[in-house]
Every structure is written in C-alpha cells, then in structure tokens.
C-alpha cells in the first residue's frame, strides 16, 4: 500500500513524531517511512505470521467452543449416570419379580400336588391293595398326572411295599427316617428334602401324605416326587436380562440346579450366597454379593416351601458389570459424536474466521488509526450484519460522529433552555387567564339551581379549567419555575370525574365503565393522573372505531 505525500496530513506527521523528534508510536513508525529522495511516504507491510498464529481471535474462539462443550459433556455424563441408575433399578425389579414368580409357582405346584396326592390316597389299590394292584394303580394315575413321579407306598412299619425309584427299593425299611414318623403323625401333606434326579433334568420336590385305613388308623405313607418343570420354563423366558443366572440350592450348599449350569449343578458349596442367607434366617431380599463363582453380582433370593431342617432357596443374579454395559456403550457413542462435532466446529470456525471476522477487524483497526489523526469523517464501511465486529465498528463510527456533534449538542442545549424560558412565560400568562375564566364561571354557576343541566355543564367547564391549570403547572415544572404538586389523592374520585367528562364527549357507541377501589390513595399530582387517564381513554377510543 503506497500513499502520496499530499495524502498524509501534517497532523498525522505531528502525531507520529513528537516535538523532541523521538518516535511516539514505534509500531506506527515502523509501518510508515519516507522513500529516499521521493518526498513520499510509504506504508511498509507488516510480516504476516503463519496461518496457525494469524490471530489470537482464532485461539480464543476455539477455546470458547471447547468451554461451551463442557456443559454439554457434563449433561451427557449426568444423563449416563441417571441411565445407569435407572437400569440398575429396573434390573433389581426384574430379578425380584423372577424370584417372586418362582415362589408363587412352587406354592401353586405344592398345592396341586397335595390335592392330587390326596386323590391317590383314596384309591383302595394304593391304600391297602397288593403290590401288583398298587403298581398298576400307580401306572394308571401317573398317566393322569405326569408331574408326579416315582410314587412310593410305605406301610405303617416303615417297609416299602410298592413303587420306589427302582425295583430294588421294595422291602427296604425307612422307619428310622425322622420324616417318616413326622408324616405318620400329621394329617397334611409334608414336604421332604429336595432331590436331584438322575434321569430328569429338573430337581424333585418330595411330597408325603399319611395313608389312613377305614378305621382311622395309619396305614402307612404315600410319597411322590413333584417335577419342578416351571424352573426350566422360567429360565427360558425371553424377557430375562442377558447373563441372568438362576440357582436352586439347599441350606447345606447342594446346588440342585443352576441355569445356565456351567458345571455347578450337583456340587456342594456351603459358602454360597443363598446358603449363607438361609442359615442366617433371612427369607428373601435383594442385595449385592459374591456368589460361589466369585463374581460380584446383584442377587435377588427367596426361600421356597421346604422342610424346616432342609430349607431350599432360589436366587436370580446378574453380574454388576452387566448392569453398565449398555449405558456405558451409549455414553461412549454420544461422547464420540460430540467430540467429532466439536472438532468439526473448531475447524470450521478456524478457517471461517479469516473471512467473516478478521477482515472486518482489520478495517476497524485502520479506521481507528485514521480517527486518531483527527480525520473524523472516516467510517469503517462495514455492512449491516449483526455481529460483535459490527458493534465495534458502530462504536468507532459513533465516536467519530460524537466528536463532531459536541458543538451541535451545546447549541441545541441553549435552544432548549430558551424554549423552556418561553414556555414558562406563556404558562404563567395562560394561568392568569384561566384564573379569570374560572372565577367568572363559578359566579355564573352559583346563580343556577343545583341539579340543573346548565349547572352541570358549567361544572364540566370548571373541571376543564382546572385541568388546563394542571397543564400550565406542568409547563412551569418543565421550565423549572414551578414544582410538581404531589399530594395524597383519592384515585376513585379522579377516575369518576374523568369518566363523567368522557361520557359527555365520547360517541354514544362507546361505553365507559369504571371499577375502582374507593379506599385507594396515591401520592401524585392530580393533573398528571387526569392527563394519563385521558391519554389512555383516547387511545382506547381510537382502537374501537365501531364502539365497544
């Protein structure tokens, strides 16, 4: 950029070089220099820094974008924490529903087995028939109730006389078994210790019932194994969370069934979680614990109907790590998308700053430099785009305008003072005229009878003169020759008086309704209140050309 000698004003040279001949602005002197022997001034271009250091504005903009992303990141993280908490609560409820369903299924199965066993016990062949007749009855009844397996008849002396798990069981004696004596002394079905079957996939719940002869004496005990097929059905449901483990274990730690098995079924693990809970006397609950596979889990457990000395419990558990898999995966995806969006936003802002911001900033800087030389006619010339740079450019332009308008403002101030003095004089004279008018009107009004139409018209005229007097007081206050007369004024009276005037002057198509608080008092000038009410009423009238 080259500037001829005449284009550089003398004022600029004086500002650039002080009276002592020393540079007053080293940066400006480095950008202006005189060409040897030419008598002209040239602007030396400043070296342009690398693109990544072109302007600190870019770095600040990138920092602002990064800071703006912090609340979003915090919101995403807090939402993930809330989601993890909700997933944990939902999973906890699902596990509780699983064990509660298991308990209900087992209780229902026990009730049905007790009913069926009572029907079996009424069959004469089962109660006191021969071994062959008993075996035939067992085959016939088993076809009707496939849930009952391995029926066994034991006589009153404790000898197995029919059925059993195998033919070798016939003739064996179980009289020493405490459960046998308990069943003989009870009239209800008694649950025995749960057993694992060698031929069936699910465990068996033994149910025993006393056989009674026709004379009421005990004839023996009828025992069956009840298949717990509902356990397999429960585990096969598709609505269970992934990695859910269902375990059936007795108080001694014998794993009766585990789904999925994983080689644990049939093992005795006395330190298992459910076994410990049963030994401690707890009947159910949900908590975090470590199962016999040493994996921290969320475990829901409950005790199933079983013998008092051979309690059995069922648990549904899920690894704690499985609770956060899906929420953490969603959090990683959201943070990845947010990071990509932030990087793209920073890149776009970085390269768009030169076109949208830096160019205008440079023009503002050049205009400010020229204003510093005393050239108040210079303008930035930036368009009307709404931006902070535009605001800065407007500030520069306004500064130039205001520097040239000081004298004009002083002149306007003098004119305004003259107008105020003139208004005060006019108001004073007009107030004198109103005094004469109001006095004559009062004299005429006093000669008229009270309640006459003429007297009411003169009352309105007096109100008009009073409001005109209030107007003159405002003019005097404007001219600083009279103070505002603020006093305690009942607003209801002012509103009613103004409404009377409005009803007589407005078109009849316009209805004036008044709702006031008779006790309301305002500390204000009555004339100004009336003027405000009149302005509001006139605006309302203009807004209702058809009345209202």
């Amino acid at each position: 950029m080259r500037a001829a000698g005449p284009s550089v004003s003398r004022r600029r040279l004086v500002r650039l070089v002080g009276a002592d001949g020393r540079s007053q602005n080293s940066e400006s002197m480095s950008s202006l220099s005189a060409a040897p022997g030419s008598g002209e001034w040239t602007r030396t271009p400043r070296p342009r820094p690398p693109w990544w250091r072109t302007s600190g504005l870019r770095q600040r903009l990138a920092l602002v974008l990064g800071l703006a992303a912090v609340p979003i990141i915090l919101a995403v993280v807090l939402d993930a924490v809330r989601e993890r908490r909700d997933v944990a609560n939902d999973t906890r409820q699902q596990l509780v529903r699983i064990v509660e369903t298991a308990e209900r299924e087992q209780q229902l199965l026990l009730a049905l087995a007790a009913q069926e066993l009572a029907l079996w016990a009424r069959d004469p062949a089962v109660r006191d028939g021969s071994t062959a007749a008993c075996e035939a009855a067992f085959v016939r009844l088993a076809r009707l109730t496939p849930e009952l397996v391995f029926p066994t008849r034991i006589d009153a002396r404790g000898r197995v006389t029919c059925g059993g798990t195998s033919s070798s069981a016939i003739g064996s004696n179980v009289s020493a078994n405490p459960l046998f004596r308990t069943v003989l002394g009870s009239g209800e079905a008694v649950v025995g210790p749960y057993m694992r079957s060698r031929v069936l996939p699910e465990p068996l719940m033994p149910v025993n019932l006393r056989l009674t002869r026709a004379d009421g004496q005990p004839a023996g005990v009828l025992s069956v194994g009840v298949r717990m097929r509902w356990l397999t059905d429960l585990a096969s449901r598709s609505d269970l969370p992934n990695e859910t483990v269902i375990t059936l274990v007795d108080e001694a730690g014998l794993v009766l069934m585990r789904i999925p098995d994983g080689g644990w079924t049939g093992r005795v693990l006395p330190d298992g979680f459910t076994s410990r809970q049963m030994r401690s006397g707890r009947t159910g609950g949900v908590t975090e614990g470590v199962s016999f596979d040493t994996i921290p889990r969320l475990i829901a457990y409950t005790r199933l109907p079983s013998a008092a000395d051979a309690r059995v419990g069922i648990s549904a558990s899920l690894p704690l790590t499985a609770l956060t898999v899906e929420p953490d995966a969603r959090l990683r995806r959201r943070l990845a998308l947010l990071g990509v969006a932030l990087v793209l936003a920073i890149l776009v802002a970085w390269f768009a700053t030169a076109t949208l911001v830096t160019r205008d900033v440079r023009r503002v800087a050049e205009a400010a430099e020229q204003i510093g030389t005393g050239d108040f006619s210079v303008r930035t010339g930036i368009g009307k785009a709404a931006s902070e740079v535009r605001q800065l450019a407007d500030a520069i332009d306004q500064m130039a305008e205001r520097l040239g308008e000081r004298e004009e403002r002083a002149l306007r101030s003098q004119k305004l003072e003259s107008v105020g003095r003139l208004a005060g004089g006019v108001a004073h004279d007009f107030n004198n005229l109103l005094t004469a008018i109001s006095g004559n009107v009062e004299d005429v009004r006093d000669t008229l009878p009270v309640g006459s139409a003429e007297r009411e018209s003169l009352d309105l005229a007096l109100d008009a003169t009073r409001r005109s007097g209030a107007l003159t007081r405002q003019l005097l206050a404007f001219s600083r020759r009279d103070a505002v007369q603020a006093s305690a004024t009942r607003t209801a009276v002012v509103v009613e008086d103004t409404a009377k005037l409005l009803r007589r002057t407005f078109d009849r198509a316009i209805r004036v309704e008044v709702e006031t608080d008779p006790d309301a008092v305002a500390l204000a000038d009555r004339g100004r209140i009336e003027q405000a009410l009149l302005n509001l009423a006139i605006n309302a009238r203009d807004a209702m050309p058809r009345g209202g």
Side-chain angles (χ1 to χ4, degrees), residues 325-356:
V325 172
E326 293 185 4
D328 290 350
R330 284 192 287 269
L331 175 61
R332 287 192 295 269
R333 288 195 297 269
R334 292 171 185 171
L335 292 178
L337 291 175
L338 183 60
V340 171
L342 179 60
V343 171
L344 290 177
I346 291 176
L347 290 177
V348 171
W350 184 275
F351 291 103
T353 301
T355 303
L356 302 177

Side-chain angles (χ1 to χ4, degrees), residues 211-526:
L211 294 173
T212 305
R213 291 195 298 264
D215 58 0
Q217 294 300 317
V221 173
L222 177 61
S223 176
V224 295
V226 183
R227 299 182 63 178
M228 299 174 60
R229 282 196 285 194
W230 60 263
L231 185 59
T232 306
D233 297 338
L234 178 65
S236 62
R237 293 179 182 176
S238 58
D239 58 345
L240 294 181
N242 295 331
E243 302 184 50
T244 301
V245 174
I246 299 177
T247 306
L248 186 68
V249 63
D250 64 9
E251 186 176 2
L254 174 62
V255 181
L256 298 169
M257 189 173 186
R258 190 175 190 268
I259 304 174
D261 188 354
W264 295 100
T265 302
R267 298 175 61 178
V268 178
L269 302 167
D271 292 333
F273 177 82
T274 307
S275 302
R276 295 197 308 268
Q277 297 300 316
M278 285 189 293
R279 287 196 297 269
S280 65
R282 297 174 184 172
T283 58
V286 57
T287 184
E288 295 181 5
V290 178
S291 184
F292 41 74
D293 55 3
T294 68
I295 297 177
R297 294 176 177 272
L298 180 64
I299 305 174
Y301 63 95
T302 188
R303 196 170 69 185
L304 297 180
S306 55
D309 57 348
R311 291 175 290 190
V312 174
I314 187 170
S315 65
S317 62
L318 192 70
L320 295 179
T321 55
L323 301 177
T324 60
V325 172
E326 293 185 4
D328 290 350
R330 284 192 287 269
L331 175 61
R332 287 192 295 269
R333 288 195 297 269
R334 292 171 185 171
L335 292 178
L337 291 175
L338 183 60
V340 171
L342 179 60
V343 171
L344 290 177
I346 291 176
L347 290 177
V348 171
W350 184 275
F351 291 103
T353 301
T355 303
L356 302 177
V357 180
T358 308
R359 179 183 59 188
D360 293 339
V361 171
R362 188 180 300 112
R363 293 172 64 178
V364 170
E366 292 175 353
E369 189 175 357
Q370 293 185 25
I371 291 174
T373 64
D375 185 4
F376 302 137
S377 62
V378 67
R379 297 294 182 268
T380 58
I382 296 178
K384 297 182 179 180
S387 64
E388 288 75 6
V389 177
R390 173 61 183 171
Q391 295 177 5
L392 179 60
D394 289 343
I396 297 295
D397 295 342
Q398 292 174 8
M399 181 180 66
E401 292 177 0
R402 289 170 182 172
L403 289 174
E405 291 175 354
R406 287 184 177 179
E407 185 177 359
E408 184 178 355
R409 286 200 302 271
L411 180 60
R412 285 200 300 269
S413 178
Q414 294 176 359
K415 290 181 179 179
L416 184 61
E417 185 179 356
S418 299
V419 170
R421 287 197 297 269
L422 178 61
V426 172
H428 184 74
D429 295 338
F430 187 63
N431 192 37
N432 293 334
L433 295 175
L434 287 177
T435 301
I437 293 173
S438 62
N440 292 324
V441 170
E442 286 181 357
D443 293 341
V444 175
R445 184 198 61 178
D446 293 340
T447 62
L448 296 175
V450 177
S452 63
E454 292 81 0
R455 186 181 180 94
E456 291 181 358
S457 299
L458 291 178
D459 287 336
L460 293 176
L462 285 174
D463 290 339
T465 58
R466 181 169 45 78
R467 284 189 291 273
S468 299
L471 178 61
T472 60
R473 287 195 300 273
Q474 293 179 20
L475 290 175
L476 290 173
F478 171 74
S479 63
R480 299 178 181 177
R481 299 178 61 177
D482 193 8
V484 176
Q485 297 180 358
S487 59
T489 305
R490 290 190 175 274
T491 56
V493 176
V494 179
V495 173
E496 290 290 347
D497 293 345
T498 307
K500 291 180 182 179
L501 175 63
L502 296 176
R503 292 190 182 99
R504 296 180 63 90
T505 56
F506 279 5
D507 191 280
R508 293 188 177 183
I510 297 177
R511 185 174 67 256
V512 179
E513 297 182 355
V514 177
E515 294 183 5
T516 60
D517 183 0
D519 298 328
V521 177
L523 183 63
D525 187 279
R526 174 169 179 147

Side-chain angles (χ1 to χ4, degrees), residues 154-155 158 174-195 205-210 220-224 306-310:
I154 307 171
D155 62 16
V174 296
S175 59
N177 191 331
L179 180 61
F180 172 74
R181 293 191 296 270
T182 301
V183 176
L184 278 180
S186 174
E188 299 178 353
V190 178
V191 179
Y194 286 46
M195 301 181 299
M205 176 180 63
V207 179
N208 308 274
L209 183 66
R210 184 181 67 183
V221 173
L222 177 61
S223 176
V224 295
S306 55
D309 57 348

